[in-house]
């Protein structure tokens, strides 16, 4: 669809003084209105046609170079060119996560309510870090709703983040401050002495952001303890207890354990109650990374796995994964919000609440001062559109599709289900295609499927072997997309078998 373009003649910009209201980046109200309408029409058309388009397209090297080597003209361009640029240079080369046949990563498509809300919040353009405004109060209320959906106590609160990585970083920093403050070593030589002994524990299947967050707060790799998982890929409480006991005997300071609610590789849910009990006995903080599966208590079939969730100290939830809020909207939820203020509140003379009874600014609960209001409004709008029942129905939709995919894999004589669940993921392998190295075979098959563009999946390591992995997180995915995926996998395997023999594996 062609956009309406308007030529903003540059002839006056360097030749006469600008009058009030003409200075860039101002636009005439009618021009702005027409371009917003054109953009909205294009968005609707783009989303409606997405299922018929390829999942992804390889980007030509010259186009990549053109974007990387961008330059700025002396004269300003037409406002209508923005839509042209997106249509021609950006939209044809997506990640693929908006397509219903995308199964590679936990990247959801944008919910319609979130799209509308992001535009509106961008127009209001309030920061949710400092000062008092409606979007900041909306964030407080929406975070409270999210905590309630996750099963946390009524006093719980938290802060919205860019995603799970930032939420996990804030959680570990909060846990460190809480732990050292309780020991009386929050500053000075005692801080240096005790910080050098802090030790962190997490499921060996945990997301990489946990170890990266530990590095960011100064916990070196030799004091990280990835705990072995059991046959169902859940953290083993007995192994955790043994590791904590050994480290305490060695004079180290176990300060936090991170469990995972929906591991990235297999969708496993770690046991909460025995880990919390150990944390209480050992004086540790218990953080749960529920970026994917933090809202599982909403689903009756999963609720038993979330016994004890209300006793967590903190939890990560990613609404841009589970609820399809547009990227990036994560959240750190804490049972006692005051721990966030202890960890992050800093004062400055130019940033002071005007009233003595003003609530703590949200910048005192995170490391960001300038924070976008788009997160709060997009999350509120998506939740408002869904309702509590809609959240449960959406999660159940993913779980039902995953069950059907696992059934189809199990029924195929050419495929074997390796792992998966309870969260909606299936890890599987080919069984009838001889190859000297099955790991490289699955890598090649996944690449062939991706390149063909009709479906998209990834590989993952399970039991030290590379296998195929498909996750379900698109509300537009249907059973026909599952059939398409498996046809593409088998077709790619047949094509690989027919390809010329290589002397060495790729």
């Amino acid at each position: 669809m062609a956009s309406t373009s308007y030529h903003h003649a540059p002839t006056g910009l360097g030749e006469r003084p600008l009058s009030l209201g003409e200075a860039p980046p101002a636009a005439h109200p009618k021009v702005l209105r027409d371009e917003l309408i054109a953009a909205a029409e294009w968005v609707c058309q783009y989303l409606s046609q997405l299922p018929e388009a390829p999942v992804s397209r390889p980007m030509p090297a010259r186009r990549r170079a053109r974007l990387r080597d961008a330059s700025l003209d002396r004269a300003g361009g037409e406002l209508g060119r923005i839509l042209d640029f997106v249509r021609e240079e950006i939209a044809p080369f997506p990640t693929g996560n908006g397509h219903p046949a995308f199964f590679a990563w936990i990247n959801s498509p944008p919910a319609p309510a979130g799209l509308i809300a992001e535009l509106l919040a961008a127009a209001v353009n309030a920061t949710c870090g400092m000062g008092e405004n409606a979007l900041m109060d909306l964030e407080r209320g929406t975070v409270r709703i999210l905590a309630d959906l996750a099963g946390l106590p009524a006093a719980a609160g938290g802060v919205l983040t860019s995603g799970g990585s930032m939420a996990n970083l804030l959680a570990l920093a909060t846990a460190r401050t809480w732990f050292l403050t309780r020991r009386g070593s929050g500053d000075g030589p005692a801080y240096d002495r005790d910080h050098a002994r802090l030790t962190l524990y997490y499921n060996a299947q945990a997301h990489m952001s946990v170890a990266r967050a530990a590095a960011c707060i100064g916990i070196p790799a030799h004091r990280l303890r990835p705990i072995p998982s059991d046959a169902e890929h859940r953290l083993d409480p007995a192994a955790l207890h043994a590791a904590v006991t050994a480290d305490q005997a060695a004079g180290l300071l176990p300060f936090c354990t991170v469990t995972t609610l929906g591991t990235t590789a297999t969708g496993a849910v770690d046991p909460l109650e025995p880990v919390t009990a150990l944390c209480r006995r050992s004086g540790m903080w218990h953080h749960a990374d529920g970026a994917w599966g933090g809202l599982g208590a909403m689903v009756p079939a999963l609720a038993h796995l979330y016994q004890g969730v209300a006793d967590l100290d903190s939890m990560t939830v990613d609404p841009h994964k589970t609820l399809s809020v547009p990227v990036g909207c994560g959240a750190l939820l804490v049972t006692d919000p005051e721990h966030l203020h202890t960890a992050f509140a800093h004062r400055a003379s130019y940033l002071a609440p005007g009233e003595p009874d003003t609530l703590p600014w949200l910048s005192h609960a995170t490391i960001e001062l300038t924070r976008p209001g788009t997160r709060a409004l997009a999350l509120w709008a998506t939740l408002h559109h869904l309702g509590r029942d809609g959240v449960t129905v959406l999660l159940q939709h993913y779980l039902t599709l995953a069950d059907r995919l696992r059934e189809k894999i199990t029924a195929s004589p050419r495929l074997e289900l390796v792992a998966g669940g309870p969260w909606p993921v299936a890890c599987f392998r080919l069984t009838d295609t001889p190859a000297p190295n099955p790991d490289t075979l699955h890598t090649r098959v996944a690449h062939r499927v991706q390149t063909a563009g009709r479906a998209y999946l990834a590989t993952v390591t399970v039991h030290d072997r590379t296998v195929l992995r498909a996750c379900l997180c698109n509300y537009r995915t249907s059973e026909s997309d599952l059939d398409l995926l498996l046809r593409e996998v088998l077709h790619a395997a047949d094509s690989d078998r027919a390809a010329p023999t290589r002397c060495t594996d790729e």
Side-chain angles (χ1 to χ4, degrees):
M1 181 200 342
S3 69
T4 304
S5 296
Y6 298 86
H7 182 59
H8 293 193
T11 54
L13 294 181
E15 301 171 4
R16 63 175 175 82
L18 294 171
S19 62
L20 190 64
E22 287 185 325
H28 189 280
K30 183 180 185 306
V31 174
L32 178 60
R33 176 182 179 277
D34 289 346
E35 291 303 332
L36 286 173
I37 291 173
E41 290 176 346
W42 179 85
V43 166
C44 292
Q45 183 183 62
Y46 173 77
L47 293 176
S48 66
Q49 295 177 349
L50 199 60
E52 285 72 47
V55 179
S56 65
R57 296 181 181 91
M59 192 171 187
R62 70 181 186 281
R63 291 201 174 202
R64 297 176 67 92
R66 189 163 64 217
L67 293 176
R68 290 196 302 265
D69 301 334
S71 60
L72 185 63
D73 295 337
R74 180 179 177 83
E78 300 174 2
L79 196 61
R81 179 57 187 142
I82 298 171
L83 176 56
D84 296 337
F85 178 78
V86 171
R87 180 173 51 228
E88 297 164 9
E89 302 292 342
I90 304 300
F93 309 104
T95 304
N97 56 298
H99 199 285
F102 182 88
F103 301 92
W105 308 300
I106 312 169
N107 293 151
S108 303
L115 287 173
I116 297 170
E118 288 222 334
L119 172 62
L120 299 175
V124 174
N125 201 36
T127 175
C128 281
M130 55 196 178
E132 288 298 321
N133 59 73
L135 281 176
M136 190 180 295
D137 280 322
L138 181 67
E139 178 169 340
R140 294 182 179 114
T142 306
V143 164
R144 178 55 244 150
I145 293 172
L146 196 64
D148 179 59
L149 295 176
L152 297 182
V159 66
L160 297 181
T161 68
S162 60
S165 294
M166 180 59 75
N168 285 336
L169 173 59
L170 297 179
L172 294 192
T174 302
R176 175 186 61 182
T177 299
W178 169 83
F179 181 86
L180 293 177
T181 300
R182 290 174 74 238
R183 286 181 58 84
S185 53
D187 198 4
Y191 176 93
D192 296 333
R193 180 192 66 237
D194 284 357
H195 197 284
R197 296 187 290 156
L198 295 179
T199 312
L200 174 70
Y201 306 82
Y202 52 89
N203 187 342
Q205 304 292 322
H207 192 268
M208 65 177 181
S209 63
V210 174
R212 186 163 56 183
C216 287
I217 67 167
I219 310 298
H222 72 270
R223 282 190 273 116
L224 304 184
R225 302 289 185 264
I227 303 300
S229 53
D230 59 21
E232 296 179 341
H233 309 283
R234 294 153 44 98
L235 181 146
D236 183 351
L240 173 64
H241 180 269
V244 170
T245 301
D247 284 336
Q248 288 175 327
L252 295 176
L253 296 177
F255 82 102
C256 179
T257 294
V258 179
T259 50
T260 304
L261 308 178
T263 58
T264 303
T266 66
V269 174
D270 287 340
L272 296 179
E273 290 182 311
V275 173
T276 297
L278 176 59
C279 287
R280 297 293 178 265
R281 293 195 303 271
S282 305
M284 287 192 288
W285 182 280
H286 184 183
H287 172 65
D289 181 1
W292 188 17
L295 303 183
M298 294 284 296
V299 184
L302 300 182
H304 68 285
L305 299 174
Y306 289 77
Q307 292 294 320
V309 69
D311 297 322
L312 290 170
D313 295 300
S314 60
M315 179 196 291
T316 290
V317 175
D318 265 8
H320 65 212
K321 287 185 172 67
T322 309
L323 299 176
S324 282
V325 175
V327 171
C329 180
L332 174 62
L333 309 175
V334 288
T335 302
D336 183 353
E338 189 57 35
H339 293 314
L340 289 178
H341 304 147
T342 302
F344 298 110
H346 285 73
R347 308 296 176 186
S349 61
Y350 52 87
L351 295 173
E355 302 294 335
D357 60 347
T358 299
L359 291 171
W361 290 349
L362 290 180
S363 59
H364 294 326
T366 178
I367 61 176
E368 294 178 296
L369 180 58
T370 303
R371 306 178 60 253
T374 52
R375 297 170 185 165
L377 193 58
L379 175 55
W380 174 86
T382 303
L383 289 171
H384 172 76
H385 191 223
L386 286 170
R388 293 185 68 93
D389 290 346
V391 171
T392 302
V393 169
L394 179 63
L395 300 181
Q396 188 58 60
H397 170 67
Y398 297 143
L399 298 175
T400 300
L401 283 175
D403 286 341
R404 292 293 297 128
L405 179 59
R406 296 182 196 118
E407 292 169 1
K408 292 173 184 291
I409 292 169
T410 302
S412 172
R414 302 181 59 185
L415 302 172
E416 179 186 2
L417 184 66
V418 176
W423 277 88
V425 63
C427 302
F428 60 105
R429 70 182 190 94
L430 292 152
T431 59
D432 71 332
T433 303
N437 189 331
D439 289 352
T440 56
L441 166 65
H442 290 111
T443 300
R444 290 197 304 269
V445 166
H447 178 70
R448 286 180 181 274
V449 172
Q450 295 167 4
T451 303
R454 289 179 290 273
Y456 205 106
L457 84 168
T459 58
V460 72
T461 300
V462 177
H463 301 308
D464 298 322
R465 302 309 301 264
T466 300
V467 297
L468 302 170
R469 174 188 174 278
C471 68
L472 286 302
C473 59
N474 190 318
Y475 58 86
R476 302 174 74 175
T477 299
S478 66
E479 187 166 345
S480 63
D481 296 305
L482 308 182
D483 295 329
L484 170 64
L485 171 67
L486 297 185
R487 286 198 305 269
E488 289 297 302
V489 167
L490 296 178
H491 177 71
D494 292 338
S495 299
D496 186 84
R497 184 177 351 197
T501 303
R502 298 174 175 84
C503 296
T504 59
D505 289 322
E506 294 180 351

